[in-house]
Amino acid sequence: MDGYPRETDADACTTRTLYLNSGTYTWTQIRDLVRYPRRDIYLAAGTYTWTDCLRPHDHYYQQTSTLDKAGSSPATLTGPEFTTLSGDITFGSLLDPHF
């Protein structure tokens, strides 16, 4: 991060594709060592595109995590707004199966 974000700054995203078994998962966003927000979600078996992004707005960032399976509506987990002036940030999300 380098100063206050602007709406015109590019998103910072990472995307992966993975196969998930059907079941309930706890889905949690991670930013540095903080794990919040979290929710339980039922996912059908299939191949998902999993995307985590930091989205700049004027003077703050917002983290979003999306799970997208072809033929289904994407699920999104949106974290609270945060600010930072500069430095490194580690971010992502975690799926913890209940089975």
Side-chain angles (χ1 to χ4, degrees), residues 1 5 27-32 34-39 53-57 59-65 76-84 89 91-92:
M1 302 295 169
W27 189 12
T28 307
Q29 282 185 340
I30 303 167
R31 182 168 42 90
D32 292 328
V34 177
R35 292 183 175 196
Y36 179 84
R38 63 187 297 147
R39 75 181 239 204
C53 293
L54 286 182
R55 301 190 185 282
H57 299 274
H59 302 292
Y60 70 91
Y61 293 95
Q62 191 151 43
Q63 183 178 346
T64 60
S65 301
T76 301
L77 186 62
T78 302
E81 300 168 357
F82 69 95
T83 59
T84 186
I89 290 179
F91 71 98

Side-chain angles (χ1 to χ4, degrees), residues 10 14 19 31 41 50 52 62 79 90:
T14 184
Y19 181 86
R31 182 168 42 90
I41 185 170
W50 188 3
D52 286 297
Q62 191 151 43
T90 301

Side-chain angles (χ1 to χ4, degrees), residues 1-6 9 61 84-87:
M1 302 295 169
D2 185 16
Y4 284 111
R6 293 172 304 281
D9 290 345
Y61 293 95
T84 186
L85 291 179
S86 63

Side-chain angles (χ1 to χ4, degrees), residues 14-16 18 20 23 25-29 37-44 47-53 55 63-79 93-95:
T14 184
T15 300
R16 67 196 55 82
L18 69 159
L20 295 172
Y25 295 77
T26 298
W27 189 12
T28 307
Q29 282 185 340
R38 63 187 297 147
R39 75 181 239 204
D40 287 343
I41 185 170
Y42 177 83
L43 299 171
T47 301
Y48 287 79
T49 301
W50 188 3
T51 304
D52 286 297
C53 293
R55 301 190 185 282
Q63 183 178 346
T64 60
S65 301
T66 304
L67 286 166
D68 193 3
K69 180 178 181 259
S72 300
S73 296
T76 301
L77 186 62
T78 302
S93 61
L94 168 75
L95 283 171

